[in-house]
Amino acid sequence: MKKVLILGSTGSIGINTLNVIRNFPEDFEITALTVNTKIGLLEPQIHEFHPGTVVVKDEKLGMELKARIAGECNVLVGEQGLIDAAANLDYDIFVGAMVGFCGLAPTLEAIKRGKIIALANKETLVVAGELVTKLCRQYNAKLLPIDSEHSAIFQCLEGEKKDQVEKIILTASGGPFLNKTKSSLANVTVQEALNHPNWKMGAKITIDSASMMNKGLEIIEAYWLFGVKQEEIEVVIHPQSIIHSMVQYIDGSVKAQLGLPDMKLPIQYALTYPDRQANQFPRLDFAEIGNLTFFRPDFEKFECLMLAYNALTIGGTAPCIMNAANEIAVHKFLNGEIRFSHIPHIISTAMEKIENHKSPDIDAIFECDKETREFVMALS
Ligand code: MG
């Protein structure tokens, strides 16, 4: 029986993790579930999965839940509650399913205890990749990617020698605006941006997919996860999202991982790794799919993609600045405060104006994140 802590159990990844775990009642038990605010969704999860502890980041809502469930399980609250749960509870697998920078601190606690880290929270590696990978080596923690592209690459690398990798090919659906012109991106609506053709996901990552910042974040995530050089990471547009990514080796051979676009697949692989377990998920029907197509990304139209390559080249806190600026810019777009096409402008302004620090420690990363958020919030 593996004990699982899910950081962010009411988001898209958290819910899918519970959907997977529901199929394997003999193999997994839930130690803890955490949420930001959605106690209404958490409550039925408590009744079904009986975690010993839950954490609600919003303190007021946490107290409200505590009164409501009266002793059914232990309730911790606040940012400190998340950190305490990761640092003190008894679990084997830490599922990092929270969105954004706020997943970093609890993830570091789990790493310091040498846990298995099933990571969907790509921002953790984007802002602190150097530190996170160093700590994983130091404390013998195992990082298993849940992001579908990185799970694909991870699977393609199984049984291979790392020094025989020539390049990693990240596939991208291209999102809802793949066929729009650059100038027309200025006028797209929030609803249009939220309408992803292949994947059902939370709002933040869906907007990131529309701007292709999601792929930018994934380039940086791949860089840290797989220890490849920046020029060894290529992005190819593949609108059907059937090939989840590929690895090309020095003999020219390419391995790909394929599957229906369903996050339950990479989640299950991370939970059952190194084994595979039979399931009843729908299967691919190649004859029905018919065609798989590929083309190069348009870096001029999708400026966020180029910004991510630049942030990786600059290094230091540049990816942290990029990420924080993006999080606030996406928030502003969702609130109707800025146009979609302003997202990359805001990010590049932040990257120009905010001072970069080389090899930042954890305090410098938190400082940089805070400074960038305040800077972008103040932009009119
Ligand atoms: Mg992905």
Side-chain angles (χ1 to χ4, degrees):
M1 202 81 158
K2 290 181 191 166
K3 300 187 185 99
V4 182
L5 180 155
I6 304 177
L7 196 80
S9 71
T10 56
S12 164
I13 297 291
I15 288 170
N16 272 318
T17 304
L18 291 173
N19 286 339
V20 169
I21 285 177
R22 188 177 285 121
N23 294 333
F24 303 103
E26 311 287 291
D27 298 315
F28 301 101
E29 68 177 284
I30 299 291
T31 294
L33 300 173
T34 89
V35 302
N36 264 329
T37 55
K38 292 183 189 155
I39 54 171
L41 287 175
L42 176 61
E43 217 177 318
Q45 293 179 347
I46 295 171
H47 301 325
E48 181 180 355
F49 293 96
H50 311 291
T53 302
V54 296
V55 189
V56 183
K57 193 172 169 226
D58 183 296
E59 299 191 10
K60 195 164 152 266
L61 290 169
M63 297 319 283
E64 194 182 313
L65 178 77
K66 196 170 184 169
R68 222 153 68 193
I69 62 167
E72 196 172 335
C73 68
N74 187 22
V75 181
L76 303 176
V77 298
E79 173 85 41
Q80 192 57 44
L82 297 173
I83 292 171
D84 290 345
N88 300 319
L89 295 176
D90 176 25
Y91 60 93
D92 306 299
I93 305 178
F94 174 96
V95 179
M98 249 164 124
V99 182
F101 180 84
C102 54
L104 177 60
T107 307
L108 290 176
E109 293 302 325
I111 291 172
K112 286 181 194 161
R113 296 178 67 200
K115 301 295 183 187
I116 295 168
I117 316 289
L119 195 65
N121 179 253
K122 60 193 81 177
E123 291 88 346
T124 294
L125 279 169
V126 170
V127 302
E130 190 175 356
L131 194 72
V132 165
T133 49
K134 197 177 95 189
L135 289 174
C136 281
R137 283 192 299 272
Q138 187 179 338
Y139 292 98
N140 216 5
K142 177 103 184 130
L143 268 186
L144 299 174
I146 284 183
D147 207 347
S148 61
E149 293 79 358
H150 303 74
S151 174
I153 295 161
F154 185 75
Q155 293 180 56
C156 291
L157 288 170
E158 280 288 282
E160 300 286 349
K161 297 198 170 82
K162 224 180 93 186
D163 61 355
Q164 295 172 359
V165 171
E166 192 165 87
K167 69 176 173 188
I168 276 171
I169 304 164
L170 277 176
T171 52
S173 71
F177 304 141
L178 181 57
N179 297 314
K180 281 203 176 287
T181 60
K182 186 177 178 187
S183 57
S184 68
L185 287 184
N187 298 315
V188 297
T189 65
V190 171
Q191 268 327 304
E192 287 173 306
L194 283 175
N195 189 19
H196 196 280
N198 302 343
W199 295 95
K200 296 247 162 304
M201 309 176 286
K204 198 267 178 179
I205 186 172
T206 305
I207 301 302
D208 284 347
S209 296
S211 70
M212 287 199 73
M213 176 52 92
N214 183 53
K215 209 51 54 182
L217 297 171
E218 288 180 354
I219 291 166
I220 303 175
E221 184 186 10
Y223 175 85
W224 290 113
L225 269 176
F226 304 116
V228 290
K229 298 193 189 89
Q230 182 175 343
E231 57 273 22
E232 293 168 348
I233 306 170
E234 184 180 303
V235 173
V236 66
I237 305 285
H238 166 46
Q240 295 85 9
S241 299
I242 296 296
I243 294 185
H244 297 310
S245 277
M246 303 176 254
V247 178
Q248 180 173 308
Y249 292 91
I250 50 174
D251 60 353
S253 186
V254 179
K255 282 170 82 175
Q257 189 267 341
L258 292 77
L260 289 166
D262 182 343
M263 286 311 294
K264 291 199 293 296
L265 287 173
I267 291 168
Q268 180 178 315
Y269 187 71
L271 291 176
T272 63
Y273 178 83
D275 289 318
R276 291 186 185 272
Q277 294 260 31
N279 62 30
Q280 301 300 318
F281 301 158
R283 281 4 187 191
L284 268 181
D285 180 337
F286 284 97
E288 191 180 314
I289 293 162
N291 292 305
L292 298 179
T293 52
F294 307 92
F295 41 98
R296 290 185 212 295
D298 182 340
F299 287 96
E300 267 184 42
K301 183 164 82 178
F302 295 109
E303 295 163 81
C304 289
L305 207 47
M306 208 61 226
L307 288 171
Y309 273 114
N310 292 344
L312 192 52
T313 306
I314 299 164
T317 47
C320 178
I321 296 167
M322 180 193 79
N323 178 69
N326 180 57
E327 284 190 31
I328 302 297
V330 168
H331 183 76
K332 284 188 167 191
F333 172 67
L334 286 169
N335 276 345
E337 294 168 41
I338 60 165
R339 287 171 189 267
F340 183 74
S341 54
H342 282 175
I343 294 173
H345 294 185
I346 286 175
I347 299 166
S348 62
T349 305
M351 286 171 68
E352 269 165 40
K353 300 280 183 199
I354 295 170
E355 196 191 342
N356 186 46
H357 294 275
K358 291 282 165 204
S359 294
D361 61 11
I362 192 65
D363 293 337
I365 289 167
F366 276 91
E367 186 64 32
C368 169
D369 178 77
K370 186 163 168 274
E371 183 189 352
T372 307
R373 280 164 203 271
E374 286 167 2
F375 174 83
V376 174
M377 234 112 65
L379 286 178
S380 53

